[in-house]
mmCIF file of all heavy atoms in Angstrom:
data_model
loop_
_atom_site.group_PDB
_atom_site.id
_atom_site.type_symbol
_atom_site.label_atom_id
_atom_site.label_comp_id
_atom_site.label_asym_id
_atom_site.label_seq_id
_atom_site.Cartn_x
_atom_site.Cartn_y
_atom_site.Cartn_z
ATOM 1 N N GLY A 1445 0.820 -1.205 0.000
ATOM 2 C CA GLY A 1445 0.000 0.000 0.000
ATOM 3 C C GLY A 1445 0.853 1.254 0.000
ATOM 4 O O GLY A 1445 0.572 2.222 -0.713
ATOM 5 N N TRP A 1446 1.923 1.223 0.796
ATOM 6 C CA TRP A 1446 2.835 2.369 0.862
ATOM 7 C C TRP A 1446 3.598 2.539 -0.437
ATOM 8 O O TRP A 1446 3.654 3.646 -0.995
ATOM 9 C CB TRP A 1446 3.806 2.160 2.032
ATOM 10 C CG TRP A 1446 4.912 3.166 2.085
ATOM 11 C CD1 TRP A 1446 4.849 4.417 2.630
ATOM 12 C CD2 TRP A 1446 6.248 3.004 1.576
ATOM 13 N NE1 TRP A 1446 6.070 5.051 2.486
ATOM 14 C CE2 TRP A 1446 6.942 4.204 1.851
ATOM 15 C CE3 TRP A 1446 6.917 1.973 0.924
ATOM 16 C CZ2 TRP A 1446 8.274 4.392 1.485
ATOM 17 C CZ3 TRP A 1446 8.237 2.153 0.557
ATOM 18 C CH2 TRP A 1446 8.912 3.353 0.840
ATOM 19 N N LEU A 1447 4.206 1.473 -0.955
ATOM 20 C CA LEU A 1447 5.044 1.595 -2.148
ATOM 21 C C LEU A 1447 4.243 2.068 -3.353
ATOM 22 O O LEU A 1447 4.667 2.969 -4.084
ATOM 23 C CB LEU A 1447 5.726 0.263 -2.453
ATOM 24 C CG LEU A 1447 6.668 0.279 -3.667
ATOM 25 C CD1 LEU A 1447 7.939 -0.519 -3.383
ATOM 26 C CD2 LEU A 1447 5.997 -0.281 -4.917
ATOM 27 N N ILE A 1448 3.072 1.463 -3.570
ATOM 28 C CA ILE A 1448 2.258 1.854 -4.729
ATOM 29 C C ILE A 1448 1.844 3.317 -4.622
ATOM 30 O O ILE A 1448 1.903 4.080 -5.601
ATOM 31 C CB ILE A 1448 1.043 0.920 -4.860
ATOM 32 C CG1 ILE A 1448 1.515 -0.496 -5.226
ATOM 33 C CG2 ILE A 1448 0.062 1.443 -5.905
ATOM 34 C CD1 ILE A 1448 0.420 -1.545 -5.167
ATOM 35 N N ALA A 1449 1.442 3.725 -3.412
ATOM 36 C CA ALA A 1449 1.040 5.125 -3.223
ATOM 37 C C ALA A 1449 2.210 6.077 -3.463
ATOM 38 O O ALA A 1449 2.045 7.143 -4.076
ATOM 39 C CB ALA A 1449 0.473 5.315 -1.818
ATOM 40 N N GLU A 1450 3.405 5.699 -2.994
ATOM 41 C CA GLU A 1450 4.576 6.561 -3.174
ATOM 42 C C GLU A 1450 4.953 6.689 -4.650
ATOM 43 O O GLU A 1450 5.307 7.772 -5.121
ATOM 44 C CB GLU A 1450 5.759 6.008 -2.372
ATOM 45 C CG GLU A 1450 5.618 6.157 -0.865
ATOM 46 C CD GLU A 1450 5.547 7.607 -0.426
ATOM 47 O OE1 GLU A 1450 6.428 8.390 -0.819
ATOM 48 O OE2 GLU A 1450 4.589 7.962 0.302
ATOM 49 N N VAL A 1451 4.893 5.584 -5.377
ATOM 50 C CA VAL A 1451 5.190 5.648 -6.812
ATOM 51 C C VAL A 1451 4.185 6.543 -7.520
ATOM 52 O O VAL A 1451 4.539 7.388 -8.350
ATOM 53 C CB VAL A 1451 5.199 4.236 -7.429
ATOM 54 C CG1 VAL A 1451 5.284 4.321 -8.954
ATOM 55 C CG2 VAL A 1451 6.374 3.416 -6.888
ATOM 56 N N LYS A 1452 2.910 6.379 -7.169
ATOM 57 C CA LYS A 1452 1.862 7.125 -7.868
ATOM 58 C C LYS A 1452 1.842 8.611 -7.511
ATOM 59 O O LYS A 1452 1.294 9.417 -8.265
ATOM 60 C CB LYS A 1452 0.498 6.470 -7.612
ATOM 61 C CG LYS A 1452 0.304 5.191 -8.410
ATOM 62 C CD LYS A 1452 -1.075 4.595 -8.182
ATOM 63 C CE LYS A 1452 -1.342 3.472 -9.173
ATOM 64 N NZ LYS A 1452 -1.544 3.965 -10.550
ATOM 65 N N LYS A 1453 2.432 8.970 -6.387
ATOM 66 C CA LYS A 1453 2.541 10.398 -6.077
ATOM 67 C C LYS A 1453 3.324 11.123 -7.162
ATOM 68 O O LYS A 1453 3.000 12.239 -7.563
ATOM 69 C CB LYS A 1453 3.250 10.587 -4.728
ATOM 70 C CG LYS A 1453 2.386 10.364 -3.511
ATOM 71 C CD LYS A 1453 3.194 10.600 -2.240
ATOM 72 C CE LYS A 1453 2.388 10.279 -0.998
ATOM 73 N NZ LYS A 1453 3.202 10.458 0.242
ATOM 74 N N LYS A 1454 4.377 10.472 -7.633
ATOM 75 C CA LYS A 1454 5.228 11.074 -8.671
ATOM 76 C C LYS A 1454 4.790 10.662 -10.068
ATOM 77 O O LYS A 1454 4.916 11.438 -11.019
ATOM 78 C CB LYS A 1454 6.684 10.656 -8.459
ATOM 79 C CG LYS A 1454 7.336 11.197 -7.207
ATOM 80 C CD LYS A 1454 8.810 10.787 -7.153
ATOM 81 C CE LYS A 1454 9.519 11.393 -5.964
ATOM 82 N NZ LYS A 1454 10.958 11.013 -5.913
ATOM 83 N N HIS A 1455 4.282 9.435 -10.178
ATOM 84 C CA HIS A 1455 3.994 8.872 -11.499
ATOM 85 C C HIS A 1455 2.641 8.143 -11.455
ATOM 86 O O HIS A 1455 2.591 6.908 -11.392
ATOM 87 C CB HIS A 1455 5.104 7.914 -11.918
ATOM 88 C CG HIS A 1455 6.469 8.518 -11.874
ATOM 89 N ND1 HIS A 1455 6.936 9.373 -12.853
ATOM 90 C CD2 HIS A 1455 7.468 8.418 -10.957
ATOM 91 C CE1 HIS A 1455 8.159 9.771 -12.546
ATOM 92 N NE2 HIS A 1455 8.505 9.206 -11.407
ATOM 93 N N PRO A 1456 1.546 8.885 -11.494
ATOM 94 C CA PRO A 1456 0.223 8.255 -11.377
ATOM 95 C C PRO A 1456 -0.109 7.306 -12.516
ATOM 96 O O PRO A 1456 -1.038 6.507 -12.399
ATOM 97 C CB PRO A 1456 -0.737 9.456 -11.361
ATOM 98 C CG PRO A 1456 0.028 10.579 -11.979
ATOM 99 C CD PRO A 1456 1.457 10.345 -11.605
ATOM 100 N N GLU A 1457 0.658 7.367 -13.601
ATOM 101 C CA GLU A 1457 0.387 6.507 -14.754
ATOM 102 C C GLU A 1457 0.870 5.074 -14.552
ATOM 103 O O GLU A 1457 0.496 4.167 -15.316
ATOM 104 C CB GLU A 1457 1.042 7.085 -16.006
ATOM 105 C CG GLU A 1457 2.560 6.913 -16.098
ATOM 106 C CD GLU A 1457 3.377 7.879 -15.253
ATOM 107 O OE1 GLU A 1457 2.760 8.726 -14.553
ATOM 108 O OE2 GLU A 1457 4.617 7.799 -15.283
ATOM 109 N N VAL A 1458 1.669 4.818 -13.527
ATOM 110 C CA VAL A 1458 2.279 3.500 -13.342
ATOM 111 C C VAL A 1458 1.239 2.500 -12.820
ATOM 112 O O VAL A 1458 0.484 2.797 -11.897
ATOM 113 C CB VAL A 1458 3.480 3.571 -12.386
ATOM 114 C CG1 VAL A 1458 4.062 2.173 -12.151
ATOM 115 C CG2 VAL A 1458 4.555 4.488 -12.970
ATOM 116 N N LEU A 1459 1.228 1.312 -13.432
ATOM 117 C CA LEU A 1459 0.278 0.256 -13.078
ATOM 118 C C LEU A 1459 1.023 -0.935 -12.487
ATOM 119 O O LEU A 1459 2.180 -1.192 -12.835
ATOM 120 C CB LEU A 1459 -0.508 -0.190 -14.315
ATOM 121 C CG LEU A 1459 -1.193 0.907 -15.130
ATOM 122 C CD1 LEU A 1459 -1.879 0.308 -16.357
ATOM 123 C CD2 LEU A 1459 -2.195 1.679 -14.275
ATOM 124 N N PHE A 1460 0.339 -1.676 -11.619
ATOM 125 C CA PHE A 1460 0.920 -2.838 -10.959
ATOM 126 C C PHE A 1460 -0.019 -4.034 -11.100
ATOM 127 O O PHE A 1460 -1.208 -3.942 -10.762
ATOM 128 C CB PHE A 1460 1.147 -2.559 -9.470
ATOM 129 C CG PHE A 1460 2.186 -1.516 -9.178
ATOM 130 C CD1 PHE A 1460 1.861 -0.160 -9.199
ATOM 131 C CD2 PHE A 1460 3.491 -1.872 -8.890
ATOM 132 C CE1 PHE A 1460 2.814 0.811 -8.924
ATOM 133 C CE2 PHE A 1460 4.461 -0.904 -8.617
ATOM 134 C CZ PHE A 1460 4.119 0.445 -8.640
ATOM 135 N N LEU A 1461 0.516 -5.145 -11.601
ATOM 136 C CA LEU A 1461 -0.227 -6.409 -11.704
ATOM 137 C C LEU A 1461 0.268 -7.347 -10.619
ATOM 138 O O LEU A 1461 1.465 -7.644 -10.533
ATOM 139 C CB LEU A 1461 -0.018 -7.039 -13.082
ATOM 140 C CG LEU A 1461 -0.488 -8.488 -13.258
ATOM 141 C CD1 LEU A 1461 -1.991 -8.620 -13.097
ATOM 142 C CD2 LEU A 1461 -0.053 -9.039 -14.615
ATOM 143 N N ALA A 1462 -0.649 -7.856 -9.794
ATOM 144 C CA ALA A 1462 -0.298 -8.760 -8.698
ATOM 145 C C ALA A 1462 -0.316 -10.205 -9.173
ATOM 146 O O ALA A 1462 -1.355 -10.710 -9.600
ATOM 147 C CB ALA A 1462 -1.269 -8.577 -7.538
ATOM 148 N N GLU A 1463 0.846 -10.859 -9.108
ATOM 149 C CA GLU A 1463 0.937 -12.277 -9.424
ATOM 150 C C GLU A 1463 0.838 -13.041 -8.106
ATOM 151 O O GLU A 1463 1.833 -13.294 -7.434
ATOM 152 C CB GLU A 1463 2.263 -12.591 -10.136
ATOM 153 C CG GLU A 1463 2.383 -14.023 -10.625
ATOM 154 C CD GLU A 1463 3.190 -14.924 -9.700
ATOM 155 O OE1 GLU A 1463 3.790 -14.430 -8.719
ATOM 156 O OE2 GLU A 1463 3.232 -16.139 -9.967
ATOM 157 N N ALA A 1464 -0.393 -13.344 -7.716
ATOM 158 C CA ALA A 1464 -0.607 -14.006 -6.426
ATOM 159 C C ALA A 1464 -1.686 -15.071 -6.585
ATOM 160 O O ALA A 1464 -2.872 -14.774 -6.527
ATOM 161 C CB ALA A 1464 -1.016 -12.975 -5.368
ATOM 162 N N PHE A 1465 -1.271 -16.290 -6.807
ATOM 163 C CA PHE A 1465 -2.216 -17.405 -6.854
ATOM 164 C C PHE A 1465 -2.263 -18.010 -5.452
ATOM 165 O O PHE A 1465 -1.516 -18.932 -5.125
ATOM 166 C CB PHE A 1465 -1.763 -18.450 -7.885
ATOM 167 C CG PHE A 1465 -1.716 -17.939 -9.289
ATOM 168 C CD1 PHE A 1465 -0.506 -17.667 -9.907
ATOM 169 C CD2 PHE A 1465 -2.880 -17.709 -10.007
ATOM 170 C CE1 PHE A 1465 -0.452 -17.197 -11.215
ATOM 171 C CE2 PHE A 1465 -2.841 -17.234 -11.312
ATOM 172 C CZ PHE A 1465 -1.627 -16.981 -11.915
ATOM 173 N N THR A 1466 -3.129 -17.477 -4.625
ATOM 174 C CA THR A 1466 -3.146 -17.878 -3.224
ATOM 175 C C THR A 1466 -4.572 -17.801 -2.696
ATOM 176 O O THR A 1466 -5.529 -17.841 -3.471
ATOM 177 C CB THR A 1466 -2.174 -16.987 -2.420
ATOM 178 O OG1 THR A 1466 -2.138 -17.421 -1.064
ATOM 179 C CG2 THR A 1466 -2.558 -15.520 -2.478
ATOM 180 N N LYS A 1467 -4.741 -17.664 -1.403
ATOM 181 C CA LYS A 1467 -6.070 -17.666 -0.797
ATOM 182 C C LYS A 1467 -6.879 -16.447 -1.251
ATOM 183 O O LYS A 1467 -6.324 -15.359 -1.430
ATOM 184 C CB LYS A 1467 -5.938 -17.692 0.722
ATOM 185 C CG LYS A 1467 -5.279 -18.943 1.262
ATOM 186 C CD LYS A 1467 -5.159 -18.913 2.782
ATOM 187 C CE LYS A 1467 -4.168 -17.878 3.249
ATOM 188 N NZ LYS A 1467 -3.974 -17.939 4.720
ATOM 189 N N PRO A 1468 -8.190 -16.617 -1.423
ATOM 190 C CA PRO A 1468 -9.011 -15.516 -1.953
ATOM 191 C C PRO A 1468 -8.884 -14.211 -1.179
ATOM 192 O O PRO A 1468 -8.726 -13.145 -1.777
ATOM 193 C CB PRO A 1468 -10.438 -16.071 -1.874
ATOM 194 C CG PRO A 1468 -10.277 -17.553 -1.944
ATOM 195 C CD PRO A 1468 -8.989 -17.849 -1.231
ATOM 196 N N LYS A 1469 -8.946 -14.268 0.142
ATOM 197 C CA LYS A 1469 -8.914 -13.022 0.915
ATOM 198 C C LYS A 1469 -7.558 -12.329 0.805
ATOM 199 O O LYS A 1469 -7.473 -11.095 0.867
ATOM 200 C CB LYS A 1469 -9.284 -13.298 2.374
ATOM 201 C CG LYS A 1469 -10.774 -13.570 2.577
ATOM 202 C CD LYS A 1469 -11.126 -13.726 4.039
ATOM 203 C CE LYS A 1469 -12.639 -13.801 4.237
ATOM 204 N NZ LYS A 1469 -13.275 -14.872 3.493
ATOM 205 N N VAL A 1470 -6.506 -13.106 0.646
ATOM 206 C CA VAL A 1470 -5.182 -12.520 0.462
ATOM 207 C C VAL A 1470 -5.107 -11.804 -0.886
ATOM 208 O O VAL A 1470 -4.608 -10.678 -0.987
ATOM 209 C CB VAL A 1470 -4.094 -13.601 0.570
ATOM 210 C CG1 VAL A 1470 -2.725 -13.034 0.216
ATOM 211 C CG2 VAL A 1470 -4.065 -14.191 1.988
#
């Protein structure tokens, strides 16, 4: 949450795809 927000403060165009095949709530 912190890293994505910090990147987007300077570069709101940056996108992040989560590669997480794990439990639904996670």
Side-chain angles (χ1 to χ4, degrees):
W1446 172 83
L1447 182 139
I1448 293 171
E1450 289 297 308
V1451 171
K1452 285 182 170 289
K1453 281 181 184 178
K1454 293 184 176 181
H1455 306 282
E1457 75 282 0
V1458 177
L1459 308 178
F1460 293 84
L1461 168 64
E1463 186 261 353
F1465 297 106
T1466 183
K1467 296 179 291 185
K1469 286 185 172 57
V1470 173

